[in-house]
Amino acid sequence: LAFSFGAEAALELELTHPGTSASLVLLSPGLGDPKSSVPTREQMATGWPRSLRRLHVEHHSENHWLDVMVEICDRAALRPKADLDALASIGCPILLVVGGDDDPRRLRQARVLEEVHGRCQRIVVEGVGHAVHKQRATEVATIIGAFLDEVSASC
């Protein structure tokens, strides 16, 4: 189970080390877009939730989160788009949960992954953005639970 960049990392792990996962639950992932624009430090500094900023202060520094986000965004912009044949070859079932109001590129990429992977289930939760699990925690937990029950039953 992973969200956003974490979901992309989980997908990459399965692509580079096939068979690592029994299933993938990806919340609001992307598939790479080297043409995407990278937000500036200033844009991230004004838009990043304070609750997430505070997670870094105790063990690092007040602006550690910003350094991490700049690095992640820079790397994401350099990452090539995912290979569709490689995505199709993933052996485990995949659940994609995306907010209907998320970035249109992420919605389009989720559709592409569902189209190329025979065991991928895409759920769009309408009326929410990128942090679908925060905005509709109970609904997303129910969706994930049903998926995992289905995966367990088929093992």
Side-chain angles (χ1 to χ4, degrees):
L1 170 62
F3 166 64
S4 193
F5 285 127
E8 295 171 33
L11 185 58
E12 182 66 22
L13 179 63
E14 187 59 33
L15 287 169
T16 57
H17 297 84
T20 300
S21 304
S23 64
L24 291 170
V25 176
L26 308 175
L27 307 177
S28 305
L31 297 180
D33 187 355
K35 294 179 284 186
S36 65
S37 61
V38 177
T40 65
R41 282 182 78 88
E42 293 75 27
Q43 289 170 323
M44 283 189 260
T46 58
W48 200 250
R50 290 195 189 286
S51 59
L52 294 178
R53 294 177 193 194
R54 286 190 299 266
L55 295 175
H56 294 255
V57 173
E58 184 178 333
H59 296 289
H60 302 288
S61 68
E62 188 173 335
N63 287 323
H64 178 261
W65 70 271
L66 185 55
D67 295 336
V68 170
M69 287 309 303
V70 167
E71 178 71 19
I72 288 172
C73 288
D74 285 346
R75 286 183 185 201
L78 296 174
R79 191 178 69 238
K81 285 190 177 184
D83 178 326
L84 297 182
D85 290 333
L87 292 172
S89 71
I90 292 173
C92 66
I94 302 171
L95 173 64
L96 297 174
V97 182
V98 295
D101 297 336
D102 200 350
D103 183 316
R105 289 173 295 194
R106 287 184 185 274
L107 295 172
R108 194 170 42 254
Q109 291 171 349
R111 235 183 354 266
V112 167
L113 181 50
E114 181 183 42
E115 289 169 1
V116 301
H117 189 276
R119 296 173 64 199
C120 180
Q121 179 182 359
R122 177 178 56 98
I123 305 287
V124 178
V125 180
E126 296 300 337
V128 296
H130 188 59
V132 62
H133 61 294
K134 286 185 69 178
Q135 294 171 309
R136 298 272 181 78
T138 302
E139 183 176 351
V140 171
T142 300
I143 291 166
I144 293 169
F147 172 77
L148 293 175
D149 287 346
E150 185 179 311
V151 169
S152 294
S154 68
C155 291

